[in-house]
Every structure is written in structure tokens, then in C-alpha cells.
Amino acid sequence: LNEFELIRRYFARRDPVRPDVILGIGDDAALLEVPAGRQLALATDTLVEGIHVPAGTDPASIGHKALAVNLSDLAAMGAEPAWFTLNLTLPRAEAAWLEDFARGLFDLARAQGVQLVGGDTTHGPLTVTVGACGFVPPGQALTRAGARPGDRIYVSGVLGEAGLALPMLRGQLELPEEYQAAVLERFHRPWPRVREGLALRGLASACIDISDGLLADLGHVLEQSGVGARIDLSRLPVSPAYDTVFSALGWDTALAAGDDYELCFTLPPAREQALHRAAAGFAGSLSWIGEIEAEAGLRIMDEAGRPYRPARRGYDHFAAD
Ligand code: ADP
Ligand code: MG
């Protein structure tokens, strides 16, 4: 299987096929039609085997996750996804692996109506980089910079569920049998909150997706908005699986583990009613976890209203060990 056969067999001319792709895979560049009156949102993220995905992860999950994490970034901007690129570095060209990888990738692409329009294929340690593009009306993108004192802080879904997977896989955490599959699914197949991000346009004052843990990601919002915040642990949404190991983990996994890919956003109090109307179409629940404050820094309150100091703050690739 040479490079060009590989591209043709697994990646070229797969559905969905969008009319705004004038020229897709096969030339020196793709030609794409951005709708009139829309801005282009562009995000790119890399998965490295051994870092973002444990060695030996099933290829369909890698394909899914590589696209999902990028669609999650577009969701956090309130952008409507349209196209993506795939830069694939492979240790070897193995038909069965590529078949499964492509299935995971294109199942999600189809579900989200996004088309693969180009990429690059190289030889080396397994690394998958996706670049994803979407559309947003001018001025309506959700950024990290708009939070204001008095805004309420919300998260979608539950926190810390994906963070149970690695300790479980390493045999460091014992989860009841009935929760194990759901935890692995959350970790390997995060579902990007695209619909939720679109519904938050015109409502949220700031938004981010939770890829590195709530503390790290909310921290980016606070920093870029020039504000601080208070959050209440008693309001943090955790899953039933998390509840079963709460006595061992406490709040820290929910606060600092990555890979949840839920949205964290801020909302001016006057838009509360509008949010509740919009939230009818959301996949999971929404939780109000705290409030933006003028004073810089993040204050975490425990169930008794006392300050809580977390043991870790989130994932940082270059943090000193
Ligand atoms: P060039 O040498 O001009 O960069 P390539 O041989 O790298 O061209 O790629 C040929 C075509 O195949 C291009 O349209 C490129 O975007 C596409 N392509 C290459 N690898 C992939 C991939 N992994 N997924 C999707 N498209 C790809
Ligand atoms: Mg190339």
C-alpha cells in the first residue's frame, strides 16, 4: 500500500459531500466557498499516541477523537462546522488499522455534516492532526474574553467522567462493572457539544471547551476576560460512576482532569430565561457552578462554604514534573 493508494482508498471521496467544497482531496490545495456574510473559524489539535491516547487504543476511537476534539473547539466558539483536514503520521500502512480509523473518523464526520477536504500522510510515530473550519456570523463568535462580574458560570453535562478512565485502565481505580463501559466511552469517544455551542450564540458572554480540566480552562476565561470567580463544589455536576469513587478521589478529578469536552460558559443574569428556553435542545443537563467576580483569582468553596485548595490544577504539556 503506497502513500497515494492509501489516501485514495481510505480518505478520498468519502461522504458527506458538501456543495461548498469546490475542489476537495486530490489537488495541491482545496477550494472552499465560505458563505457570504460569515467569518471562518479555524481550529487545529493533535493527538499523539502515548500522550493523548494510550498506546494500543482501538483505531476507530482514535479517528473519532481526533475529529471530536476539533469540533469541540469550534463548538466552544459558537461556530457551525463545515470542513476538516487530516495530517496523519503512521508507523506503518496497515489496512485493518486504516479501515477502523477511517470508520471512526467518518462516522462522526457524517453525523456532523463535515467533509474531509485535504491533509498530509507521512511516516513516523503515530500522530494525528486535524484542522477544522466552521462558520460564524460576524461579531457572534463566543470567545474567552467576554466574562463580566455578576455573570453566572455554567457547565454542560458532567465533569471528571473521562478522568476516571486512565486510572481505571492502569488498575489504580476500582469502578463497579456496570459503569466501566460508559467511562471508557466518555474518554475514547467524546461527543462535541456543537448544537449547544450554536444555541449559546447571543447568550453566553464567554465560552470554552473543557479539554484540560475545569480549573485550567475556566482559568483561561478569567485571565482573558480580566476577571476572577467563585465556584461552589456543592454545585459541581459529577456522574453516578464518579459518585461510587468519590470517597477515594474527592473533587480533584472533577476539577482538574481533562478530556471531558463539555462546555464551560458565562451568562449575564438577565439572559437566564433565554438560556432555559435554549437549553431544551441540549443533550445533557446544565449546571450553574458559580459566579464571575471583579477580584482576580479563582475562589473554590467547599460544601461548608470554606475555601478549598485543590491538589492539582490541570494538564500542562510542559509543566515541570
Ligand atoms: P502535495 O505533495 O502537493 O502536498 P500530497 O501528495 O501530500 O500533495 O497530497 C495529495 C492530495 O491528497 C492533496 O489534496 C492532499 O490534501 C490530500 N491528502 C494527503 N493526505 C491526506 C489525508 N491523510 N487525508 C486527506 N487528504 C489527504
Ligand atoms: Mg503533502
Short mmCIF file of all heavy atoms in Angstrom, two decimals, residues 147-151 153 218-219 221-231 266 290-299:
data_model
loop_
_atom_site.label_atom_id
_atom_site.label_comp_id
_atom_site.label_asym_id
_atom_site.label_seq_id
_atom_site.Cartn_x
_atom_site.Cartn_y
_atom_site.Cartn_z
N ALA A 147 -16.33 37.53 29.73
CA ALA A 147 -16.97 37.37 31.04
C ALA A 147 -16.90 38.66 31.86
O ALA A 147 -15.86 39.33 31.86
CB ALA A 147 -16.31 36.23 31.80
N ARG A 148 -17.99 39.01 32.53
CA ARG A 148 -18.05 40.24 33.33
C ARG A 148 -18.53 39.92 34.74
O ARG A 148 -19.31 38.99 34.95
CB ARG A 148 -19.04 41.24 32.70
CG ARG A 148 -18.65 41.74 31.33
CD ARG A 148 -17.42 42.66 31.37
NE ARG A 148 -16.89 42.93 30.04
CZ ARG A 148 -15.87 42.27 29.47
NH1 ARG A 148 -15.25 41.30 30.12
NH2 ARG A 148 -15.47 42.57 28.25
N PRO A 149 -18.08 40.70 35.74
CA PRO A 149 -18.53 40.48 37.12
C PRO A 149 -20.06 40.41 37.19
O PRO A 149 -20.74 41.21 36.55
CB PRO A 149 -18.00 41.70 37.87
CG PRO A 149 -16.79 42.12 37.08
CD PRO A 149 -17.12 41.84 35.64
N GLY A 150 -20.55 39.43 37.94
CA GLY A 150 -22.00 39.23 38.05
C GLY A 150 -22.52 38.14 37.13
O GLY A 150 -23.60 37.60 37.36
N ASP A 151 -21.76 37.82 36.06
CA ASP A 151 -22.19 36.72 35.17
C ASP A 151 -22.17 35.40 35.94
O ASP A 151 -21.31 35.19 36.80
CB ASP A 151 -21.24 36.58 33.97
CG ASP A 151 -21.36 37.73 32.98
OD1 ASP A 151 -22.23 38.61 33.18
OD2 ASP A 151 -20.59 37.73 32.00
N ILE A 153 -21.60 31.30 36.03
CA ILE A 153 -20.76 30.32 35.34
C ILE A 153 -21.52 28.99 35.24
O ILE A 153 -22.02 28.50 36.26
CB ILE A 153 -19.44 30.09 36.10
CG1 ILE A 153 -18.71 31.42 36.31
CG2 ILE A 153 -18.55 29.10 35.35
CD1 ILE A 153 -17.57 31.34 37.30
N LEU A 218 -11.35 27.15 32.87
CA LEU A 218 -12.00 28.35 33.42
C LEU A 218 -10.94 29.42 33.71
O LEU A 218 -11.18 30.62 33.52
CB LEU A 218 -12.78 27.99 34.70
CG LEU A 218 -13.43 29.15 35.45
CD1 LEU A 218 -14.41 29.92 34.55
CD2 LEU A 218 -14.15 28.66 36.71
N GLY A 219 -9.76 28.97 34.13
CA GLY A 219 -8.65 29.90 34.36
C GLY A 219 -8.33 30.73 33.12
O GLY A 219 -8.06 31.93 33.22
N VAL A 221 -10.45 31.60 30.78
CA VAL A 221 -11.54 32.57 30.63
C VAL A 221 -11.31 33.76 31.57
O VAL A 221 -11.43 34.92 31.17
CB VAL A 221 -12.92 31.92 30.91
CG1 VAL A 221 -14.02 32.97 31.01
CG2 VAL A 221 -13.25 30.89 29.82
N LEU A 222 -10.97 33.45 32.82
CA LEU A 222 -10.77 34.52 33.81
C LEU A 222 -9.63 35.44 33.38
O LEU A 222 -9.75 36.67 33.44
CB LEU A 222 -10.48 33.92 35.19
CG LEU A 222 -11.56 32.98 35.74
CD1 LEU A 222 -11.19 32.53 37.16
CD2 LEU A 222 -12.94 33.63 35.71
N GLU A 223 -8.55 34.82 32.94
CA GLU A 223 -7.38 35.60 32.55
C GLU A 223 -7.70 36.48 31.34
O GLU A 223 -7.40 37.68 31.34
CB GLU A 223 -6.25 34.63 32.22
CG GLU A 223 -4.90 35.28 32.11
CD GLU A 223 -3.85 34.20 31.83
OE1 GLU A 223 -3.91 33.14 32.49
OE2 GLU A 223 -3.02 34.43 30.95
N GLN A 224 -8.33 35.88 30.34
CA GLN A 224 -8.56 36.65 29.11
C GLN A 224 -9.70 37.65 29.25
O GLN A 224 -9.80 38.59 28.47
CB GLN A 224 -8.80 35.69 27.93
CG GLN A 224 -7.53 34.90 27.65
CD GLN A 224 -7.57 34.15 26.34
OE1 GLN A 224 -8.19 34.58 25.38
NE2 GLN A 224 -6.90 33.02 26.31
N SER A 225 -10.56 37.44 30.25
CA SER A 225 -11.63 38.40 30.49
C SER A 225 -11.21 39.46 31.51
O SER A 225 -11.94 40.43 31.74
CB SER A 225 -12.89 37.68 31.00
OG SER A 225 -13.39 36.78 30.03
N GLY A 226 -10.07 39.22 32.18
CA GLY A 226 -9.61 40.18 33.19
C GLY A 226 -10.51 40.22 34.42
O GLY A 226 -10.77 41.28 34.98
N VAL A 227 -10.99 39.03 34.82
CA VAL A 227 -11.89 38.95 35.98
C VAL A 227 -11.45 37.79 36.88
O VAL A 227 -10.49 37.09 36.58
CB VAL A 227 -13.36 38.72 35.54
CG1 VAL A 227 -13.89 39.93 34.79
CG2 VAL A 227 -13.48 37.44 34.69
N GLY A 228 -12.16 37.58 38.00
CA GLY A 228 -11.97 36.43 38.87
C GLY A 228 -13.30 35.69 39.00
O GLY A 228 -14.26 36.01 38.30
N ALA A 229 -13.33 34.71 39.89
CA ALA A 229 -14.58 33.96 40.05
C ALA A 229 -14.64 33.23 41.37
O ALA A 229 -13.62 33.03 42.04
CB ALA A 229 -14.75 32.95 38.92
N ARG A 230 -15.88 32.84 41.72
CA ARG A 230 -16.10 31.95 42.86
C ARG A 230 -16.89 30.75 42.33
O ARG A 230 -17.85 30.92 41.58
CB ARG A 230 -16.93 32.66 43.92
CG ARG A 230 -16.98 31.98 45.27
CD ARG A 230 -18.23 32.32 46.04
NE ARG A 230 -19.37 31.61 45.47
CZ ARG A 230 -20.43 32.18 44.91
NH1 ARG A 230 -20.54 33.49 44.83
NH2 ARG A 230 -21.41 31.45 44.40
N ILE A 231 -16.45 29.54 42.65
CA ILE A 231 -17.27 28.38 42.32
C ILE A 231 -17.55 27.58 43.60
O ILE A 231 -16.76 27.61 44.55
CB ILE A 231 -16.66 27.47 41.22
CG1 ILE A 231 -15.30 26.91 41.64
CG2 ILE A 231 -16.55 28.20 39.90
CD1 ILE A 231 -14.74 25.88 40.67
N THR A 266 -20.13 31.56 30.49
CA THR A 266 -20.65 32.55 31.43
C THR A 266 -21.87 33.23 30.82
O THR A 266 -21.99 33.35 29.59
CB THR A 266 -19.58 33.61 31.78
OG1 THR A 266 -19.16 34.27 30.57
CG2 THR A 266 -18.37 32.96 32.43
N GLY A 290 -21.15 28.71 39.68
CA GLY A 290 -20.52 29.81 40.39
C GLY A 290 -20.77 31.14 39.70
O GLY A 290 -21.67 31.26 38.86
N GLU A 291 -19.95 32.11 40.04
CA GLU A 291 -20.18 33.48 39.60
C GLU A 291 -18.86 34.18 39.28
O GLU A 291 -17.88 33.98 39.97
CB GLU A 291 -20.85 34.24 40.74
CG GLU A 291 -21.86 35.25 40.29
CD GLU A 291 -23.16 35.05 41.07
OE1 GLU A 291 -23.07 34.98 42.32
OE2 GLU A 291 -24.22 34.94 40.43
N ILE A 292 -18.92 35.01 38.26
CA ILE A 292 -17.75 35.85 37.94
C ILE A 292 -17.71 37.01 38.93
O ILE A 292 -18.74 37.60 39.26
CB ILE A 292 -17.86 36.38 36.49
CG1 ILE A 292 -17.83 35.22 35.49
CG2 ILE A 292 -16.76 37.38 36.18
CD1 ILE A 292 -16.53 34.44 35.43
N GLU A 293 -16.49 37.33 39.39
CA GLU A 293 -16.29 38.44 40.34
C GLU A 293 -15.20 39.36 39.80
O GLU A 293 -14.38 38.96 38.98
CB GLU A 293 -15.88 37.88 41.71
CG GLU A 293 -16.97 37.00 42.33
CD GLU A 293 -16.56 36.37 43.66
OE1 GLU A 293 -15.35 36.26 43.96
OE2 GLU A 293 -17.47 35.98 44.41
N ALA A 294 -15.22 40.58 40.30
CA ALA A 294 -14.24 41.56 39.82
C ALA A 294 -12.83 41.23 40.32
O ALA A 294 -11.84 41.42 39.60
CB ALA A 294 -14.65 42.97 40.27
N GLU A 295 -12.76 40.70 41.53
CA GLU A 295 -11.45 40.41 42.12
C GLU A 295 -10.77 39.25 41.39
O GLU A 295 -11.39 38.19 41.22
CB GLU A 295 -11.63 40.06 43.60
CG GLU A 295 -10.32 39.90 44.35
CD GLU A 295 -10.53 39.25 45.73
OE1 GLU A 295 -11.66 39.34 46.26
OE2 GLU A 295 -9.59 38.65 46.24
N ALA A 296 -9.52 39.43 40.97
CA ALA A 296 -8.81 38.40 40.21
C ALA A 296 -8.66 37.12 41.03
O ALA A 296 -8.73 37.14 42.26
CB ALA A 296 -7.43 38.91 39.79
N GLY A 297 -8.46 35.99 40.35
CA GLY A 297 -8.23 34.71 41.01
C GLY A 297 -9.50 33.89 41.08
O GLY A 297 -10.60 34.39 40.88
N LEU A 298 -9.32 32.59 41.35
CA LEU A 298 -10.46 31.68 41.45
C LEU A 298 -10.60 31.22 42.90
O LEU A 298 -9.66 30.68 43.47
CB LEU A 298 -10.24 30.46 40.55
CG LEU A 298 -11.34 29.39 40.60
CD1 LEU A 298 -12.68 29.96 40.14
CD2 LEU A 298 -10.96 28.18 39.76
N ARG A 299 -11.77 31.47 43.47
CA ARG A 299 -12.06 31.03 44.84
C ARG A 299 -13.00 29.83 44.79
O ARG A 299 -14.09 29.91 44.22
CB ARG A 299 -12.65 32.19 45.65
CG ARG A 299 -11.59 33.28 45.94
CD ARG A 299 -12.17 34.64 46.22
NE ARG A 299 -12.71 35.28 45.01
CZ ARG A 299 -11.97 35.87 44.06
NH1 ARG A 299 -10.66 35.90 44.15
NH2 ARG A 299 -12.55 36.40 42.99
#
